[in-house]
Protein backbone atom coordinates (compact mmCIF):
# COMPACT_ATOMS: atom_id res chain seq x y z
CA UNK A 1 0.00 0.00 0.00
CA UNK A 2 1.29 3.47 -0.92
CA UNK A 3 -0.06 6.46 1.03
CA UNK A 4 1.30 9.90 1.82
CA UNK A 5 4.81 9.10 0.64
CA UNK A 6 5.09 5.83 2.58
CA UNK A 7 5.08 2.42 0.90
CA UNK A 8 4.16 -0.65 2.97
CA UNK A 9 4.50 -4.20 1.69
CA UNK A 10 2.36 -6.64 3.71
CA UNK A 11 -0.85 -8.68 3.31
CA UNK A 12 1.16 -11.59 1.93
CA UNK A 13 -1.88 -13.87 2.21
CA UNK A 14 -3.34 -12.27 -0.94
CA UNK A 15 -1.17 -14.67 -2.94
CA UNK A 16 0.26 -14.44 -6.45
CA UNK A 17 -1.17 -13.01 -9.65
CA UNK A 18 -0.25 -13.34 -13.33
CA UNK A 19 1.20 -9.83 -13.46
CA UNK A 20 2.63 -7.81 -10.55
CA UNK A 21 0.43 -4.82 -11.37
CA UNK A 22 -2.42 -6.92 -9.97
CA UNK A 23 -0.64 -8.33 -6.92
CA UNK A 24 2.38 -10.28 -5.75
CA UNK A 25 4.56 -11.50 -8.60
CA UNK A 26 6.02 -14.41 -6.62
CA UNK A 27 5.61 -16.05 -3.22
CA UNK A 28 7.91 -19.08 -3.05
CA UNK A 29 8.58 -21.57 -0.22
CA UNK A 30 6.58 -19.46 2.24
CA UNK A 31 3.67 -20.17 4.56
CA UNK A 32 1.45 -17.09 4.33
CA UNK A 33 -2.04 -18.52 4.91
CA UNK A 34 -1.85 -20.10 8.36
CA UNK A 35 -1.13 -16.88 10.26
CA UNK A 36 -2.42 -14.02 8.13
CA UNK A 37 -0.09 -11.06 8.03
CA UNK A 38 3.02 -13.18 8.58
CA UNK A 39 5.58 -14.82 6.27
CA UNK A 40 7.02 -18.05 7.71
CA UNK A 41 9.43 -20.24 5.73
CA UNK A 42 8.24 -23.75 4.90
CA UNK A 43 10.43 -26.76 5.40
CA UNK A 44 12.79 -27.13 2.48
CA UNK A 45 12.67 -29.98 -0.03
CA UNK A 46 15.72 -32.15 -0.59
CA UNK A 47 16.19 -35.01 -3.01
CA UNK A 48 15.89 -38.31 -1.12
CA UNK A 49 17.85 -41.52 -1.60
CA UNK A 50 14.93 -43.09 -3.51
CA UNK A 51 15.87 -44.80 -6.77
CA UNK A 52 13.95 -43.95 -9.93
CA UNK A 53 14.50 -45.14 -13.52
CA UNK A 54 11.96 -42.61 -14.82
CA UNK A 55 9.39 -40.17 -13.53
CA UNK A 56 8.00 -41.38 -10.16
CA UNK A 57 4.25 -41.24 -10.83
CA UNK A 58 2.69 -42.94 -7.80
CA UNK A 59 3.55 -43.42 -4.12
CA UNK A 60 1.76 -45.36 -1.37
CA UNK A 61 2.38 -46.50 2.22
CA UNK A 62 1.17 -49.73 3.78
CA UNK A 63 0.09 -50.20 7.40
CA UNK A 64 3.33 -52.02 8.20
CA UNK A 65 5.53 -48.99 7.58
CA UNK A 66 6.68 -49.84 4.07
CA UNK A 67 6.63 -47.40 1.15
CA UNK A 68 6.20 -48.15 -2.54
CA UNK A 69 6.76 -45.90 -5.53
CA UNK A 70 6.36 -46.56 -9.22
CA UNK A 71 7.78 -45.31 -12.49
CA UNK A 72 6.51 -46.32 -15.95
CA UNK A 73 8.42 -49.63 -15.74
CA UNK A 74 9.37 -50.39 -12.12
CA UNK A 75 7.92 -50.62 -8.61
CA UNK A 76 10.29 -49.91 -5.73
CA UNK A 77 9.88 -50.85 -2.07
CA UNK A 78 11.31 -48.71 0.73
CA UNK A 79 13.00 -46.31 -1.70
CA UNK A 80 15.63 -48.51 -3.35
CA UNK A 81 14.54 -52.15 -3.70
CA UNK A 82 13.10 -52.87 -7.18
CA UNK A 83 10.45 -55.51 -6.48
CA UNK A 84 8.72 -55.44 -9.91
CA UNK A 85 10.60 -54.60 -13.11
CA UNK A 86 10.32 -54.52 -16.91
CA UNK A 87 6.67 -53.47 -17.02
CA UNK A 88 5.19 -51.50 -19.91
CA UNK A 89 3.08 -48.37 -19.42
CA UNK A 90 2.76 -48.64 -15.64
CA UNK A 91 -0.02 -46.20 -14.72
CA UNK A 92 -0.77 -46.45 -10.99
CA UNK A 93 -0.40 -48.44 -7.77
CA UNK A 94 -2.77 -48.79 -4.80
CA UNK A 95 -2.88 -50.93 -1.65
CA UNK A 96 -6.09 -52.95 -1.37
CA UNK A 97 -6.94 -56.07 0.64
CA UNK A 98 -3.34 -56.58 1.81
CA UNK A 99 -1.88 -56.47 -1.73
CA UNK A 100 -0.17 -53.83 -3.80
CA UNK A 101 -2.18 -53.60 -7.03
CA UNK A 102 -0.35 -52.47 -10.15
CA UNK A 103 -2.15 -51.16 -13.23
CA UNK A 104 0.06 -51.37 -16.32
CA UNK A 105 -0.67 -51.50 -20.03
CA UNK A 106 -3.77 -53.65 -20.55
CA UNK A 107 -3.14 -55.48 -17.28
CA UNK A 108 -3.50 -55.44 -13.53
CA UNK A 109 -1.24 -57.45 -11.24
CA UNK A 110 -0.75 -57.82 -7.50
CA UNK A 111 2.14 -58.08 -5.03
CA UNK A 112 1.48 -59.70 -1.68
CA UNK A 113 0.23 -60.67 0.79
CA UNK A 114 2.01 -57.68 2.30
CA UNK A 115 2.01 -59.05 5.86
CA UNK A 116 3.46 -62.45 4.98
CA UNK A 117 7.16 -61.71 4.77
CA UNK A 118 7.07 -63.72 1.52
CA UNK A 119 5.17 -61.40 -0.80
CA UNK A 120 5.03 -62.58 -4.42
CA UNK A 121 4.44 -60.70 -7.68
CA UNK A 122 1.46 -62.04 -9.61
CA UNK A 123 1.40 -60.44 -13.07
CA UNK A 124 -1.49 -60.03 -15.50
CA UNK A 125 -4.35 -61.20 -13.31
CA UNK A 126 -6.65 -59.31 -15.69
CA UNK A 127 -5.53 -58.49 -19.22
CA UNK A 128 -8.42 -56.77 -21.00
CA UNK A 129 -7.99 -53.10 -20.06
CA UNK A 130 -7.47 -50.31 -22.58
CA UNK A 131 -3.72 -49.71 -22.72
CA UNK A 132 -3.83 -46.42 -24.61
CA UNK A 133 -5.21 -44.17 -21.87
CA UNK A 134 -4.64 -43.42 -18.23
CA UNK A 135 -5.24 -46.29 -15.81
CA UNK A 136 -5.69 -44.53 -12.49
CA UNK A 137 -6.87 -46.59 -9.50
CA UNK A 138 -9.00 -45.62 -6.52
CA UNK A 139 -10.05 -47.72 -3.51
CA UNK A 140 -13.71 -47.11 -2.74
CA UNK A 141 -15.24 -46.93 0.70
CA UNK A 142 -17.58 -49.68 -0.50
CA UNK A 143 -14.53 -52.01 -0.49
CA UNK A 144 -14.16 -52.24 -4.25
CA UNK A 145 -11.27 -51.15 -6.47
CA UNK A 146 -12.06 -48.82 -9.39
CA UNK A 147 -10.02 -47.96 -12.45
CA UNK A 148 -10.26 -45.81 -15.54
CA UNK A 149 -10.35 -48.05 -18.60
CA UNK A 150 -10.42 -46.15 -21.88
CA UNK A 151 -14.09 -45.65 -22.75
CA UNK A 152 -15.13 -47.46 -19.53
CA UNK A 153 -14.93 -47.14 -15.78
CA UNK A 154 -14.46 -50.56 -14.21
CA UNK A 155 -15.36 -51.78 -10.73
CA UNK A 156 -13.03 -54.57 -9.57
CA UNK A 157 -13.73 -57.17 -6.90
CA UNK A 158 -11.30 -59.51 -5.16
CA UNK A 159 -13.08 -62.83 -4.62
CA UNK A 160 -10.20 -64.87 -3.16
CA UNK A 161 -6.89 -63.80 -1.60
CA UNK A 162 -4.52 -64.14 1.32
CA UNK A 163 -2.72 -67.41 0.64
CA UNK A 164 1.05 -67.06 0.35
CA UNK A 165 2.27 -68.07 -3.11
CA UNK A 166 -1.24 -68.31 -4.55
CA UNK A 167 -2.49 -65.60 -6.87
CA UNK A 168 -5.50 -63.65 -5.63
CA UNK A 169 -8.62 -63.77 -7.77
CA UNK A 170 -9.92 -60.47 -9.09
CA UNK A 171 -12.84 -59.92 -11.45
CA UNK A 172 -14.47 -57.00 -13.20
CA UNK A 173 -17.67 -56.74 -11.18
CA UNK A 174 -19.34 -54.03 -13.28
CA UNK A 175 -18.43 -51.32 -15.76
CA UNK A 176 -19.89 -48.01 -16.87
CA UNK A 177 -19.76 -47.47 -20.62
CA UNK A 178 -19.16 -43.81 -21.52
CA UNK A 179 -20.40 -42.25 -24.78
CA UNK A 180 -18.36 -43.00 -27.88
CA UNK A 181 -15.35 -40.71 -28.20
CA UNK A 182 -15.11 -40.06 -24.44
CA UNK A 183 -11.97 -41.50 -22.86
CA UNK A 184 -11.18 -41.44 -19.16
CA UNK A 185 -8.25 -39.48 -17.75
CA UNK A 186 -8.67 -39.50 -13.96
CA UNK A 187 -10.93 -40.85 -11.23
CA UNK A 188 -11.85 -40.28 -7.58
CA UNK A 189 -14.56 -41.16 -5.10
CA UNK A 190 -17.00 -38.32 -4.49
CA UNK A 191 -19.52 -39.07 -1.76
CA UNK A 192 -21.67 -41.99 -2.89
CA UNK A 193 -20.55 -41.56 -6.50
CA UNK A 194 -17.44 -42.32 -8.53
CA UNK A 195 -16.34 -39.20 -10.40
CA UNK A 196 -14.37 -39.57 -13.61
CA UNK A 197 -12.80 -36.98 -15.90
CA UNK A 198 -12.46 -37.35 -19.65
CA UNK A 199 -10.28 -36.11 -22.46
CA UNK A 200 -13.19 -34.02 -23.76
CA UNK A 201 -13.41 -31.80 -20.68
CA UNK A 202 -16.28 -33.57 -18.95
CA UNK A 203 -16.89 -35.08 -15.53
CA UNK A 204 -19.33 -37.95 -15.05
CA UNK A 205 -20.53 -39.08 -11.62
CA UNK A 206 -21.48 -42.76 -11.52
CA UNK A 207 -23.68 -44.53 -8.97
CA UNK A 208 -21.43 -47.65 -9.20
CA UNK A 209 -24.06 -49.86 -10.87
CA UNK A 210 -23.55 -51.67 -14.17
CA UNK A 211 -24.91 -50.29 -17.40
CA UNK A 212 -24.59 -47.81 -20.21
CA UNK A 213 -24.99 -44.07 -19.88
CA UNK A 214 -28.56 -43.11 -20.64
CA UNK A 215 -30.15 -45.53 -18.22
CA UNK A 216 -32.11 -43.49 -15.62
CA UNK A 217 -30.16 -42.87 -12.43
CA UNK A 218 -27.04 -44.69 -13.56
CA UNK A 219 -24.90 -41.59 -13.92
CA UNK A 220 -25.64 -37.91 -13.66
CA UNK A 221 -25.45 -35.81 -16.79
CA UNK A 222 -21.87 -34.68 -17.30
CA UNK A 223 -20.44 -31.42 -16.03
CA UNK A 224 -19.12 -29.86 -19.23
CA UNK A 225 -16.08 -27.59 -18.95
CA UNK A 226 -14.90 -25.17 -21.58
CA UNK A 227 -11.48 -26.86 -21.53
CA UNK A 228 -9.71 -29.39 -23.71
CA UNK A 229 -9.55 -32.09 -20.98
CA UNK A 230 -9.86 -32.92 -17.29
CA UNK A 231 -6.47 -33.89 -15.84
CA UNK A 232 -6.89 -34.26 -12.09
CA UNK A 233 -9.73 -34.89 -9.63
CA UNK A 234 -9.58 -34.78 -5.83
CA UNK A 235 -12.43 -35.04 -3.33
CA UNK A 236 -12.17 -33.38 0.07
CA UNK A 237 -14.87 -32.23 2.53
CA UNK A 238 -17.71 -32.50 -0.01
CA UNK A 239 -15.74 -30.55 -2.59
CA UNK A 240 -14.58 -31.94 -5.90
CA UNK A 241 -11.39 -30.19 -7.01
CA UNK A 242 -10.62 -30.21 -10.74
CA UNK A 243 -7.68 -29.20 -12.91
CA UNK A 244 -8.62 -28.73 -16.54
CA UNK A 245 -7.04 -27.29 -19.65
CA UNK A 246 -3.53 -25.98 -20.29
CA UNK A 247 -3.79 -22.51 -18.75
CA UNK A 248 -3.63 -23.30 -15.04
CA UNK A 249 -7.36 -23.17 -14.30
CA UNK A 250 -8.54 -24.92 -11.14
CA UNK A 251 -12.22 -25.51 -10.43
CA UNK A 252 -14.59 -26.69 -7.71
CA UNK A 253 -17.57 -28.82 -8.69
CA UNK A 254 -20.51 -30.49 -6.92
CA UNK A 255 -21.05 -32.99 -9.71
CA UNK A 256 -23.71 -30.79 -11.30
CA UNK A 257 -22.25 -27.27 -11.46
CA UNK A 258 -18.78 -25.82 -11.24
CA UNK A 259 -16.98 -22.55 -10.60
CA UNK A 260 -13.41 -21.48 -11.16
CA UNK A 261 -11.46 -21.45 -7.93
CA UNK A 262 -8.14 -20.04 -9.16
CA UNK A 263 -5.71 -19.75 -12.03
CA UNK A 264 -2.17 -20.85 -11.31
CA UNK A 265 -0.02 -17.87 -12.44
CA UNK A 266 2.36 -19.62 -14.79
CA UNK A 267 4.97 -17.35 -16.31
CA UNK A 268 4.49 -15.91 -19.77
CA UNK A 269 7.24 -14.18 -21.72
CA UNK A 270 8.23 -12.43 -24.90
CA UNK A 271 11.22 -13.63 -26.92
CA UNK A 272 13.09 -11.68 -29.56
CA UNK A 273 14.61 -13.38 -32.55
CA UNK A 274 15.29 -12.55 -36.22
CA UNK A 275 14.11 -9.02 -35.61
CA UNK A 276 10.70 -10.15 -34.37
CA UNK A 277 9.11 -10.40 -30.95
CA UNK A 278 7.19 -13.60 -30.22
CA UNK A 279 4.75 -14.05 -27.36
CA UNK A 280 5.39 -17.42 -25.68
CA UNK A 281 2.50 -18.84 -23.68
CA UNK A 282 3.05 -21.49 -21.05
CA UNK A 283 2.12 -25.02 -22.05
CA UNK A 284 1.38 -27.20 -19.04
CA UNK A 285 -0.13 -30.56 -18.26
CA UNK A 286 -0.71 -32.58 -15.10
CA UNK A 287 -0.29 -36.14 -13.91
CA UNK A 288 -3.35 -37.55 -12.12
CA UNK A 289 -1.55 -38.33 -8.83
CA UNK A 290 0.06 -34.88 -8.53
CA UNK A 291 -2.78 -33.46 -6.42
CA UNK A 292 -3.31 -33.64 -2.65
CA UNK A 293 -4.51 -31.77 0.42
CA UNK A 294 -1.95 -30.15 2.72
CA UNK A 295 -1.85 -30.58 6.46
CA UNK A 296 -3.70 -27.29 6.91
CA UNK A 297 -6.44 -28.24 4.46
CA UNK A 298 -5.32 -26.36 1.36
CA UNK A 299 -5.16 -27.83 -2.14
CA UNK A 300 -1.74 -28.81 -3.50
CA UNK A 301 -1.19 -29.21 -7.25
CA UNK A 302 1.91 -30.23 -9.17
CA UNK A 303 2.28 -29.49 -12.87
CA UNK A 304 4.40 -30.40 -15.87
CA UNK A 305 6.04 -27.72 -18.06
CA UNK A 306 7.04 -28.87 -21.51
CA UNK A 307 7.91 -25.66 -23.37
CA UNK A 308 10.46 -24.13 -20.91
CA UNK A 309 8.20 -21.16 -20.13
CA UNK A 310 6.00 -22.15 -17.21
CA UNK A 311 7.53 -23.05 -13.88
CA UNK A 312 6.93 -26.48 -12.35
CA UNK A 313 6.43 -26.89 -8.61
CA UNK A 314 3.90 -27.58 -5.89
CA UNK A 315 1.24 -24.87 -5.89
CA UNK A 316 -0.90 -24.22 -2.82
CA UNK A 317 -4.44 -22.90 -3.28
CA UNK A 318 -6.84 -21.80 -0.56
CA UNK A 319 -10.62 -22.26 -0.57
CA UNK A 320 -10.95 -18.60 -1.52
CA UNK A 321 -8.60 -18.90 -4.49
CA UNK A 322 -5.28 -17.44 -3.30
CA UNK A 323 -2.24 -19.14 -4.88
CA UNK A 324 1.43 -19.44 -3.94
CA UNK A 325 4.34 -21.57 -5.11
CA UNK A 326 4.48 -23.48 -1.84
CA UNK A 327 7.38 -25.82 -2.61
CA UNK A 328 10.16 -25.33 -5.12
CA UNK A 329 11.78 -28.62 -6.14
CA UNK A 330 15.34 -29.22 -5.00
CA UNK A 331 16.29 -29.43 -8.68
CA UNK A 332 14.72 -26.03 -9.39
CA UNK A 333 11.54 -24.90 -11.10
CA UNK A 334 12.59 -24.43 -14.73
CA UNK A 335 14.41 -26.52 -17.32
CA UNK A 336 15.92 -26.06 -20.75
CA UNK A 337 13.86 -29.06 -21.91
CA UNK A 338 10.98 -30.17 -19.68
CA UNK A 339 10.28 -30.42 -15.96
CA UNK A 340 7.36 -31.73 -13.99
CA UNK A 341 5.79 -33.58 -11.10
CA UNK A 342 4.44 -37.12 -11.13
CA UNK A 343 2.90 -37.38 -7.66
CA UNK A 344 2.37 -35.51 -4.41
CA UNK A 345 2.03 -37.58 -1.24
CA UNK A 346 1.13 -36.24 2.20
CA UNK A 347 1.84 -38.65 5.06
CA UNK A 348 -1.25 -38.47 7.31
CA UNK A 349 0.74 -39.36 10.43
CA UNK A 350 2.97 -36.28 10.38
CA UNK A 351 1.89 -34.21 7.32
CA UNK A 352 5.30 -34.67 5.72
CA UNK A 353 5.40 -34.26 1.94
CA UNK A 354 7.01 -36.28 -0.84
CA UNK A 355 7.10 -35.21 -4.47
CA UNK A 356 8.08 -37.26 -7.51
CA UNK A 357 9.71 -35.23 -10.27
CA UNK A 358 11.65 -35.21 -13.53
CA UNK A 359 13.95 -32.55 -14.91
CA UNK A 360 15.15 -33.34 -18.41
CA UNK A 361 16.74 -36.78 -18.15
CA UNK A 362 16.93 -36.73 -14.34
CA UNK A 363 14.30 -38.19 -12.02
CA UNK A 364 13.85 -38.39 -8.27
CA UNK A 365 11.74 -37.95 -5.16
CA UNK A 366 12.00 -34.89 -2.95
CA UNK A 367 10.96 -34.92 0.68
CA UNK A 368 10.77 -32.18 3.26
CA UNK A 369 13.66 -31.71 5.66
CA UNK A 370 14.15 -30.29 9.15
CA UNK A 371 15.67 -27.09 7.77
CA UNK A 372 13.90 -23.99 6.54
CA UNK A 373 13.55 -23.33 2.82
CA UNK A 374 14.93 -20.14 1.32
CA UNK A 375 11.99 -17.80 0.75
CA UNK A 376 11.63 -15.50 -2.26
CA UNK A 377 8.85 -12.93 -2.58
CA UNK A 378 8.33 -10.37 -5.32
CA UNK A 379 5.94 -7.62 -4.30
CA UNK A 380 3.29 -5.98 -6.46
CA UNK A 381 4.51 -3.38 -8.95
CA UNK A 382 3.22 -0.21 -7.31
CA UNK A 383 2.85 3.23 -8.84
CA UNK A 384 4.43 5.83 -6.55
CA UNK A 385 5.01 8.78 -8.90
CA UNK A 386 4.40 10.25 -12.34
CA UNK A 387 6.55 11.09 -15.32
CA UNK A 388 7.05 14.66 -14.10
CA UNK A 389 6.93 13.94 -10.37
CA UNK A 390 8.94 10.88 -9.55
CA UNK A 391 9.32 9.54 -6.01
CA UNK A 392 12.50 8.82 -4.08
CA UNK A 393 12.83 6.71 -0.94
CA UNK A 394 15.53 7.52 1.58
CA UNK A 395 14.85 4.90 4.26
CA UNK A 396 13.79 1.24 4.46
CA UNK A 397 12.51 -0.62 7.53
CA UNK A 398 11.54 -4.25 8.07
CA UNK A 399 9.62 -5.72 11.00
CA UNK A 400 9.81 -9.31 12.22
CA UNK A 401 7.53 -11.41 14.43
CA UNK A 402 10.54 -13.04 16.11
CA UNK A 403 14.04 -11.73 16.55
CA UNK A 404 16.79 -12.79 14.19
CA UNK A 405 18.58 -15.98 15.23
CA UNK A 406 21.84 -17.66 14.25
CA UNK A 407 21.98 -18.21 10.48
CA UNK A 408 19.11 -15.83 9.68
CA UNK A 409 19.44 -13.23 6.96
CA UNK A 410 17.20 -11.04 4.83
CA UNK A 411 18.00 -9.42 1.48
CA UNK A 412 15.81 -6.73 -0.09
CA UNK A 413 16.18 -5.50 -3.67
CA UNK A 414 14.16 -3.21 -5.92
CA UNK A 415 13.46 -2.40 -9.54
CA UNK A 416 11.50 0.35 -11.26
CA UNK A 417 9.84 -1.77 -13.94
CA UNK A 418 9.47 -5.43 -14.85
CA UNK A 419 11.99 -5.22 -17.69
CA UNK A 420 15.03 -4.35 -15.60
CA UNK A 421 17.08 -6.43 -13.17
CA UNK A 422 16.74 -6.01 -9.42
CA UNK A 423 19.21 -3.81 -7.58
CA UNK A 424 20.12 -4.97 -4.09
CA UNK A 425 19.53 -2.46 -1.30
CA UNK A 426 21.28 -4.52 1.36
CA UNK A 427 21.59 -7.87 3.11
CA UNK A 428 21.06 -7.91 6.86
CA UNK A 429 22.19 -10.87 8.98
CA UNK A 430 22.10 -12.02 12.58
CA UNK A 431 25.90 -11.88 12.56
CA UNK A 432 25.76 -8.16 11.74
CA UNK A 433 22.70 -7.05 13.73
CA UNK A 434 22.14 -9.58 16.49
CA UNK A 435 18.72 -10.56 17.85
CA UNK A 436 16.70 -7.63 16.51
CA UNK A 437 12.96 -7.63 15.69
CA UNK A 438 13.02 -4.56 13.42
CA UNK A 439 15.61 -2.45 11.68
CA UNK A 440 15.81 0.76 9.67
CA UNK A 441 18.50 1.51 7.11
CA UNK A 442 19.32 3.77 4.19
CA UNK A 443 17.38 2.85 1.04
CA UNK A 444 18.91 5.23 -1.50
CA UNK A 445 16.20 4.74 -4.14
CA UNK A 446 15.73 7.71 -6.47
CA UNK A 447 13.29 8.81 -9.17
CA UNK A 448 10.62 6.09 -9.20
CA UNK A 449 7.43 6.14 -11.19
CA UNK A 450 6.83 2.48 -10.28
CA UNK A 451 8.62 0.25 -7.79
CA UNK A 452 8.71 -3.48 -7.07
CA UNK A 453 10.58 -5.12 -4.19
CA UNK A 454 12.13 -8.57 -3.97
CA UNK A 455 12.58 -10.11 -0.53
CA UNK A 456 14.82 -13.13 0.04
CA UNK A 457 15.24 -14.81 3.42
CA UNK A 458 17.49 -17.56 4.73
CA UNK A 459 16.80 -19.36 7.99
CA UNK A 460 13.79 -18.86 10.23
CA UNK A 461 12.97 -15.24 9.40
CA UNK A 462 9.31 -14.49 10.23
CA UNK A 463 8.47 -11.30 8.37
CA UNK A 464 5.59 -8.92 9.16
CA UNK A 465 6.11 -6.03 6.76
CA UNK A 466 8.53 -3.78 4.88
CA UNK A 467 8.26 0.00 4.75
CA UNK A 468 9.86 2.55 2.46
CA UNK A 469 9.71 6.30 3.05
Amino acid sequence: MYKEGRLTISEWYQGMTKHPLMGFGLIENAEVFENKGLVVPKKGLATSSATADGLPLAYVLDIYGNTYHATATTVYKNNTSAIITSLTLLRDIKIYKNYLWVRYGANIGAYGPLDSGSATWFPALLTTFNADYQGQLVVGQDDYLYTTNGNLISKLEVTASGTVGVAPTIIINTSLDLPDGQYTTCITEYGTKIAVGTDKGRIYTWNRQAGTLGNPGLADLPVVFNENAIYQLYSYQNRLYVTAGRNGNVYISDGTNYRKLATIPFNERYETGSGQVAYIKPFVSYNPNAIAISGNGNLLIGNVSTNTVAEAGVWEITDTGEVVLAYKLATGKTSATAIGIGFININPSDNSIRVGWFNGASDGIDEDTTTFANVTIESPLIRVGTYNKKKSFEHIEFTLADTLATGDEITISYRKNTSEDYTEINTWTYTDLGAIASFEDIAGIADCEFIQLKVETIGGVNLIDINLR
Side-chain angles (χ1 to χ4, degrees), residues 128-376:
T128 58
F129 297 106
N130 187 308
D132 296 328
Y133 295 89
Q134 281 288 356
Q136 191 177 17
L137 297 167
V138 64
V139 179
Q141 295 182 73
D142 56 357
D143 208 27
Y144 290 95
L145 186 65
Y146 294 85
T147 183
T148 55
N149 182 16
N151 187 239
L152 306 172
I153 314 162
S154 294
K155 177 181 178 180
L156 309 179
E157 179 182 3
V158 174
T159 59
S161 65
T163 302
V164 175
V166 177
T169 302
I170 187 169
I171 63 171
I172 296 179
N173 180 291
T174 55
S175 291
L176 173 67
D177 187 0
L178 295 179
D180 290 346
Q182 295 280 317
Y183 293 93
T184 55
T185 55
C186 51
I187 189 173
T188 193
E189 187 175 48
Y190 179 55
T192 62
K193 304 288 184 69
I194 295 296
V196 59
T198 77
D199 63 344
K200 298 299 187 292
R202 299 184 179 189
I203 295 175
Y204 294 88
T205 52
W206 175 36
N207 71 359
R208 312 179 195 235
Q209 302 303 309
T212 302
L213 270 178
N215 293 344
L218 183 67
D220 293 334
L221 291 174
V223 185
V224 180
F225 291 74
N226 186 28
E227 301 279 11
N228 73 312
I230 307 298
Y231 292 100
Q232 297 170 325
L233 294 174
Y234 197 94
S235 177
Y236 177 69
Q237 292 186 344
N238 297 318
R239 302 181 184 94
L240 186 61
Y241 293 101
V242 184
T243 61
R246 301 291 197 178
N247 297 317
N249 293 329
V250 182
Y251 300 91
I252 289 181
S253 175
D254 61 2
T256 302
N257 305 293
Y258 72 91
R259 65 176 177 86
K260 187 162 77 170
L261 173 64
T263 298
I264 299 173
F266 297 122
N267 278 344
E268 302 173 353
R269 73 166 183 251
Y270 290 89
E271 288 188 348
T272 303
S274 303
Q276 296 181 333
V277 177
Y279 174 61
I280 309 298
K281 288 200 68 171
F283 184 82
V284 300
S285 61
Y286 311 85
N287 288 301
N289 288 324
I291 185 169
I293 294 293
S294 72
N296 60 4
N298 290 332
L299 183 66
L300 300 177
I301 291 174
N303 69 292
V304 175
S305 173
T306 56
N307 70 345
T308 75
V309 177
E311 298 167 339
V314 179
W315 305 86
E316 182 176 7
I317 304 174
T318 69
D319 278 346
T320 49
E322 292 82 16
V323 185
V324 299
L325 181 55
Y327 295 95
K328 184 174 79 170
L329 296 171
T331 187
K333 57 187 179 181
T334 58
S335 172
T337 53
I339 183 171
I341 293 177
F343 75 80
I344 300 171
N345 177 269
I346 304 295
N347 188 329
S349 65
D350 58 7
N351 291 325
S352 59
I353 184 172
R354 290 176 177 84
V355 182
W357 56 266
F358 79 98
N359 187 343
S362 300
D363 310 277
I365 295 178
D366 282 2
E367 56 187 24
D368 53 6
T369 66
T370 58
T371 60
F372 292 114
N374 295 343
V375 172
T376 303

Side-chain angles (χ1 to χ4, degrees), residues 13-136:
Y13 55 85
Q14 293 180 355
M16 296 169 55
T17 59
K18 275 188 171 291
H19 193 280
L21 274 174
M22 300 180 289
F24 285 93
L26 176 65
I27 298 178
E28 178 180 285
N29 290 338
E31 176 56 66
V32 296
F33 301 132
E34 189 169 359
N35 298 298
K36 288 192 174 181
L38 188 62
V39 176
V40 178
K42 288 186 178 289
K43 298 297 184 181
L45 293 182
T47 300
S48 72
S49 60
T51 303
D53 61 352
L55 170 64
L57 49 81
Y59 185 100
V60 294
L61 302 86
D62 68 22
I63 62 174
Y64 312 108
N66 300 301
T67 65
Y68 306 85
H69 68 273
T71 67
T73 60
T74 308
V75 178
Y76 298 88
K77 182 178 180 180
N78 295 330
N79 288 334
T80 57
S81 176
I83 58 173
I84 307 167
T85 61
S86 302
L87 299 180
T88 300
L89 295 176
L90 197 161
R91 301 293 193 180
D92 203 3
I93 57 175
K94 285 292 186 294
I95 291 175
Y96 171 61
K97 291 191 177 295
N98 203 28
Y99 288 79
L100 179 74
W101 295 88
V102 183
R103 179 80 159 77
Y104 63 103
N107 313 294
I108 192 167
Y111 173 83
L114 297 180
D115 63 349
S116 67
S118 301
T120 303
W121 167 236
F122 302 102
L125 298 177
L126 290 175
T127 62
T128 58
F129 297 106
N130 187 308
D132 296 328
Y133 295 89
Q134 281 288 356
Q136 191 177 17

